[in-house]
Amino acid sequence: MSKVKYYYDPETLAYRKLEPKRSRRYRNIAFFFLGSFLFGLLGLVLLLNTNLINTPRELSLAREVKNYELQFELLNKKMEQIEYVLGNIADRDNNIYRLYFEANPIPEEQRRAGFGGINRYKSLEGFNNSDMIIATTKRLDVIKKQMAIQSKSLDEITKLAEEKEKLLASIPAIQPINNDDLTRMASGYGWRSDPFTKVRKMHYGMDFTAPKGTPIYASGDGKVLRADNNASGYGKHIRIDHGYGYLSLYAHLSKYNVKKGQQVKRGDLIGFVGSTGRSQAPHLHYEVWKDKERINPMNFYYGSLSPEEFQNMLKYANQENQSLD
């Protein structure tokens, strides 16, 4: 039952019944429905922003987003491990491998440089987790670039190692006659008395006394440059070009076991001791050349002599006696 309202009329000095206007009644009804609509709309918005009325599809998508966030977190942890391993490899690369092979180290700025120019990650902008996705993608790109640089560096180190191995195999590094076959080490590199003129002159090789026919071996890998009797004083002799500026010469041979142009390996049998040419007795005259200059062969026996044998040979080589050629 609705309440009846009255008002006091001062002219009649009496209370009169208040009759509401029809327009006001309609307005009140309209305000009621408008208020109800707005309140209901506000409630609906609040409900839509909670999980109370989410559809199964929305709940499934929410779980996927959480799972992706977890996967990104795990990915970043794995990238930390990769960065640590790459850092160790880069450190060894610069301070061991490249140092050993005398190659310039790769600057840290070059290893860790990012990508300039256009925005490579524009397509990843505008999402709820764009910052996380962009940061992870950038980090992954830097790691990929580091791996590419390191891979290229290791390829270079491999080539340097192969070249180093080839160099070490080519250097004349062994005694050309076995110790067991030697009669004695007759004369070394330096000033010696000439056996024919008795004049003191420079002897540019080492003389190994051995019976005629004693095997002679190549002291390093190389190519036979000469195997002939066309050089004054050397008689039958062999010259091997080892590359890298090195050449070895074997003189006064009785016969050859190689020919010009033949490739030989260190330790290959190339000829036999004799006394051809300007020679006083059967022996091998052995020389080592570097960049067209004759140098002391004593510096190149690290591949075949023990420390005691080397010291013993050094003792005889330094004696200023008479050479055999």
Side-chain angles (χ1 to χ4, degrees):
M1 181 177 179
S2 61
K3 294 181 180 181
V4 179
K5 295 184 180 180
Y6 296 88
Y7 73 97
Y8 180 73
D9 187 352
E11 293 182 359
T12 61
L13 301 177
Y15 287 96
R16 292 182 179 274
K17 188 178 179 179
L18 184 64
E19 297 291 341
K21 294 181 179 180
R22 189 181 297 272
S23 60
R24 178 176 293 180
R25 179 178 298 175
Y26 291 149
R27 184 178 62 188
N28 289 339
I29 292 172
F31 279 143
F32 172 77
F33 282 110
L34 179 62
S36 299
F37 174 76
L38 293 175
F39 180 78
L41 182 62
L42 178 62
L44 180 61
V45 171
L46 292 175
L47 286 175
L48 290 175
N49 283 279
T50 65
N51 294 327
L52 297 177
I53 59 171
N54 281 351
T55 64
R57 171 67 175 167
E58 290 172 332
L59 293 174
S60 176
L61 291 174
R63 284 194 296 269
E64 287 185 19
V65 170
K66 289 291 184 183
N67 182 56
Y68 286 138
E69 290 176 352
L70 176 61
Q71 294 300 322
F72 267 95
E73 184 179 347
L74 294 175
L75 177 61
N76 275 279
K77 289 182 179 179
K78 290 180 180 178
M79 286 193 291
E80 285 181 8
Q81 297 174 348
I82 294 172
E83 287 170 338
Y84 177 76
V85 173
L86 274 175
N88 284 339
I89 294 174
D91 182 65
R92 291 198 299 269
D93 186 33
N94 275 348
N95 299 313
I96 299 178
Y97 310 143
R98 302 184 73 84
L99 183 64
Y100 177 78
F101 293 109
E102 300 177 353
N104 292 327
I106 299 175
E108 186 66 19
E109 302 77 30
Q110 181 180 343
R111 289 184 183 274
R112 301 195 61 83
F115 301 89
I118 61 174
N119 183 3
R120 299 165 55 90
Y121 313 103
K122 191 172 182 62
S123 61
L124 302 177
E125 296 175 352
F127 301 100
N128 291 337
N129 296 316
S130 287
D131 291 342
M132 178 185 68
I133 296 172
I134 291 173
T136 302
T137 306
K138 283 182 178 179
R139 192 174 183 182
L140 185 59
D141 284 344
V142 171
I143 289 175
K144 288 165 63 179
K145 184 176 181 181
Q146 285 181 268
M147 292 179 68
I149 292 173
Q150 187 59 62
S151 177
K152 185 177 180 181
S153 175
L154 291 177
D155 287 342
E156 182 184 351
I157 292 299
T158 300
K159 291 180 181 178
L160 290 172
E162 291 172 352
E163 190 66 20
K164 191 85 169 183
E165 184 179 9
K166 184 179 177 183
L167 168 63
L168 293 175
S170 299
I171 293 176
I174 65 170
Q175 188 174 286
I177 295 180
N178 289 332
N179 267 338
D180 294 341
D181 296 332
L182 284 179
T183 305
R184 63 189 179 95
M185 211 294 292
S187 183
Y189 179 96
W191 290 96
R192 300 291 184 269
S193 175
D194 186 278
F196 300 100
T197 66
K198 308 304 179 183
V199 175
R200 192 167 178 266
K201 69 174 186 178
M202 185 64 184
H203 186 241
Y204 288 103
M206 297 185 71
D207 291 341
F208 296 94
T209 303
K212 182 178 178 180
T214 299
I216 300 170
Y217 304 98
S219 56
D221 295 0
K223 180 180 180 180
V224 177
L225 197 63
R226 294 180 62 173
D228 56 50
N229 191 23
N230 299 327
S232 177
Y234 287 129
K236 290 182 178 180
H237 76 292
I238 295 172
R239 302 188 192 197
I240 298 177
D241 182 3
H242 302 280
Y244 308 97
Y246 288 99
L247 182 142
S248 58
L249 183 148
Y250 314 78
H252 310 305
L253 278 61
S254 60
K255 61 180 179 178
Y256 311 110
N257 195 52
V258 292
K259 58 184 178 180
K260 180 180 178 180
Q262 183 176 333
Q263 294 288 339
V264 295
K265 294 288 187 181
R266 179 182 292 153
D268 284 354
L269 176 63
I270 59 173
F272 302 90
V273 171
S275 187
T276 58
R278 193 174 184 274
S279 172
Q280 191 181 49
H283 75 288
L284 169 68
H285 175 81
Y286 175 65
E287 296 181 5
V288 174
W289 296 57
K290 179 68 169 77
D291 298 328
K292 300 182 180 180
E293 296 288 336
R294 288 176 285 191
I295 56 179
N296 193 343
M298 273 299 300
N299 299 324
F300 296 89
Y301 294 140
Y302 59 85
S304 60
L305 300 180
S306 67
E308 294 76 15
E309 290 172 333
F310 181 82
Q311 289 298 325
N312 189 49
M313 178 176 284
L314 185 64
K315 174 183 176 182
Y316 287 105
N318 287 332
Q319 294 178 355
E320 291 196 19
N321 54 5
Q322 178 177 286
S323 64
L324 294 178
D325 45 36

